Amino acid sequence: MTPGNDAGRRPSRLSRRRLLASIGGVGAVGMASGLGTGAYLSDRETFPGNAFGAGEVELVVDTAISDGTFAVDVSGIGRGPDKRASDSFNVEVRTNPARVWLAAKCPTVNDDLSDALEVDVRVDGSSITGGFRPFATVAAELVDGERIDTGCLDPESPIEVEVFAELPVDAPDSLSGQNTSLSFRLYAEQCRHVSEADAAGSNPFADRVCEEPGDNCPECVEFGKAEFGDSPVAVGDTLSLIELPAGADGHEIAITAVETKDEGGNAETVGVEFTLQDADGNPGPDMCKVEIKGGQETESYEIDPASSETDEILFAPLKPDKDKRHGISNIVVFVCSDSGDGDDPDEDETVDCVVCDDENASLATLDVRYRGDDEPSVTVVSTKGGTGGTLFEGTVANGDVFTLDGSDVTRSGNNGNGNGGGQTDRLGPEVEIRVEGGATTPIHVSCSELLAVGMRFGPDDEFEIAGGTTTDERPICGTEAN
């Protein structure tokens, strides 16, 4: 792994040699020297002729390293000093003296076990953490890197790093025996040609911080839908998301594990594990909920803590006999939204909802969710008061939301409210939801009668008011506000 060209950091000179311990395995982690090794170097400027000066750095760690990370396993740790977990490893360089940085990886926010654990990190027998202290505190101090050599590490002179973890005796009994791991990272840079005065600028972990504990998912909002075809998916497949919010084009789910069923020679996907990613393969945003539809049913899964990965196979609903599962027809992904992170100074202000039961209020839009078991063809038209226009036309399934927009309403003549013909930007006075081969459901939308989020309409209450906005851009209230 090669650190990027972070803003504010001094560009590397030609003679700098850097290597992150990220190649993995036991023993020699890797070597950087000569031509053909640029993938392991901090190549932050163009080198004429792709040639590098003399010198190399080889970092050797006598334990397993994965992606530059050393993990201390504290699975099954008990309470008290006599049940500590510990691990150690030696770090050495060969050929040329090098500087070595050790950094902690931040613990999972709001993880009870990580919050309770206390750790002590020692280098050649001396604590660099001031004894046993809460892991969250230690991680916050070490996340931006700590030099563990003393004025450049000489070849064949190893450094011993020891990590001790202890669960205090007053920790909740429920934490005893739980599993987690404490992760640390290593990075080495050759000392030649780089003065000690400039060494601080070489630390790739500088300026990193850990997220403060708190609500990591202030709001869980619908993000997009992935449709499954008739053929089973396979590991490595990607499915594009549709119905994405503005600015989120190109997101997809990447399948990492699959479970299928085969009935009568027809194979179907019944469960998947996946990662949410953008078009370039970068993970995110973090998911907070996933809904999987199979047949006419939907299975909902909370992702807690929120993550770009499901970390396990999520399944379609069971069939009525509870013996077999439906095949997956679609997956709806919900992501965390922090409404207070924008640049709009008014974004954090609370907007009061409007009770839609006053003739002085007018609706601009209305969101309707289908709650039925079928997948009917639906047409919504504006009626009465000299209005017309088709506001929605399409096939809907359980959970689908469609929006009726006042800009699609047309009016003829004068409707008695001083409005002439043509188009307006408000709904009213009534719309009809027409189901092909089924019933017609009228909904009064002029606010002269009560209309609130959560109200249901139709012969089987299959149409639910999911939201709406007034012509002055305020949301309508729910039934609990009336």
Side-chain angles (χ1 to χ4, degrees):
M1 297 176 65
T2 302
N5 189 3
D6 296 339
R9 197 171 295 169
R10 178 175 55 79
S12 299
R13 293 190 297 234
L14 176 62
S15 57
R16 181 164 292 183
R17 296 293 176 268
R18 298 179 178 181
L19 177 66
L20 177 64
S22 62
I23 300 176
V26 178
V29 174
M31 177 180 292
S33 65
L35 294 173
T37 60
Y40 305 113
L41 299 177
S42 184
D43 185 2
R44 297 180 179 172
E45 62 182 33
T46 302
F47 298 107
N50 194 30
F52 296 94
E56 60 188 32
V57 59
E58 184 179 8
L59 179 64
V60 181
V61 184
D62 67 348
T63 190
I65 296 287
S66 178
D67 290 334
T69 300
F70 168 78
V72 179
D73 186 6
V74 294
S75 300
I77 190 172
R79 293 180 296 177
D82 58 332
K83 296 183 179 180
R84 289 176 181 169
S86 64
D87 210 339
S88 64
F89 58 94
N90 289 334
V91 180
E92 64 178 290
V93 294
R94 296 174 181 166
T95 311
N96 286 304
R99 300 179 181 91
V100 182
W101 282 266
L102 173 73
K105 291 186 70 175
C106 294
T108 300
V109 175
N110 296 330
D111 177 74
D112 291 340
L113 182 56
S114 293
D115 290 345
L117 281 173
E118 295 186 349
V119 299
D120 184 18
V121 182
R122 304 173 189 174
V123 177
D124 286 342
S126 297
S127 176
I128 63 173
T129 56
F132 280 91
R133 299 170 64 209
F135 178 54
T137 302
V138 170
E141 293 177 354
L142 294 182
V143 70
D144 59 353
E146 178 87 3
R147 279 278 298 274
I148 60 174
D149 62 276
T150 54
C152 288
L153 180 63
D154 291 326
E156 311 299 338
S157 299
I159 299 173
E160 183 184 33
V161 178
E162 299 172 284
V163 181
F164 298 86
E166 180 179 312
L167 191 60
V169 293
D170 60 352
D173 183 63
S174 60
L175 299 180
S176 182
Q178 289 192 16
N179 302 329
T180 192
S181 61
L182 315 179
S183 299
F184 299 86
R185 290 169 170 162
L186 290 170
Y187 181 85
E189 177 190 72
Q190 182 191 165
C191 291
R192 292 181 60 183
H193 312 298
V194 181
S195 70
E196 191 63 26
D198 292 334
S202 303
N203 177 12
F205 309 111
D207 302 324
R208 294 187 180 183
V209 295
C210 291
E211 180 182 356
E212 293 291 333
D215 187 357
N216 69 335
C217 193
E219 185 178 6
C220 191
V221 299
E222 187 171 329
F223 185 68
K225 178 192 290 186
E227 297 283 2
F228 281 60
D230 296 331
S231 302
V233 299
V235 173
D237 286 351
T238 57
L239 301 178
S240 298
L241 292 180
I242 59 175
E243 301 177 10
L244 288 164
D249 295 342
H251 280 74
E252 60 191 15
I253 62 173
I255 307 299
T256 55
V258 175
E259 185 157 327
T260 59
K261 68 173 185 180
D262 192 335
E263 293 184 0
N266 294 322
E268 290 184 301
T269 302
V270 297
V272 289
E273 177 181 340
F274 62 87
T275 298
L276 175 61
Q277 63 186 32
D278 64 19
D280 296 325
N282 302 308
D286 286 339
M287 297 180 289
C288 48
K289 185 172 73 170
V290 171
E291 290 183 352
I292 299 182
K293 184 178 180 184
Q296 299 300 322
E297 304 297 327
T298 300
E299 194 76 43
S300 181
Y301 295 89
E302 301 295 326
I303 310 297
D304 187 16
S307 172
S308 60
E309 303 174 353
T310 63
D311 289 328
E312 62 180 348
I313 293 180
L314 307 182
F315 292 92
L318 289 166
K319 291 186 174 180
D321 57 12
K322 306 299 182 183
D323 183 41
K324 297 178 181 179
R325 294 189 181 273
H326 290 286
I328 298 175
S329 58
N330 66 61
I331 289 179
V332 178
V333 173
F334 295 74
V335 301
C336 292
S337 173
D338 186 354
S339 59
D341 282 347
D343 296 328
D344 187 348
D346 297 325
E347 190 177 28
D348 292 334
E349 295 182 1
T350 299
V351 178
D352 293 332
C353 63
V354 175
V355 178
C356 181
D357 64 353
D358 187 336
E359 290 187 1
N360 292 323
S362 296
L363 291 183
T365 66
L366 188 68
D367 300 326
V368 182
R369 177 179 284 109
Y370 179 66
R371 291 297 193 183
D373 294 330
D374 300 323
E375 296 187 5
S377 177
V378 169
T379 301
V380 184
V381 296
S382 182
T383 61
K384 295 186 177 180
T387 67
T390 299
L391 309 184
F392 172 80
E393 189 171 15
T395 301
V396 296
N398 183 276
D400 287 350
V401 175
F402 52 90
T403 298
L404 312 180
D405 196 317
S407 63
D408 295 326
V409 175
T410 59
R411 282 178 165 81
S412 59
N414 192 304
N415 63 8
N417 290 326
N419 294 320
Q423 288 189 319
T424 71
D425 289 327
R426 64 182 179 86
L427 297 170
E430 188 170 285
V431 298
E432 287 184 355
I433 302 179
R434 301 170 181 173
V435 177
E436 185 178 7
T440 294
T441 300
I443 302 178
H444 197 83
V445 294
S446 71
C447 287
S448 60
E449 299 176 7
L450 176 64
L451 187 68
V453 175
M455 292 178 65
R456 290 197 174 191
F457 299 86
D460 299 309
D461 289 338
E462 64 265 48
F463 294 103
E464 177 187 28
I465 305 303
T469 59
T470 64
T471 51
D472 57 358
E473 299 182 345
R474 291 189 292 172
I476 63 172
C477 295
T479 52
E480 69 278 0
N482 303 297

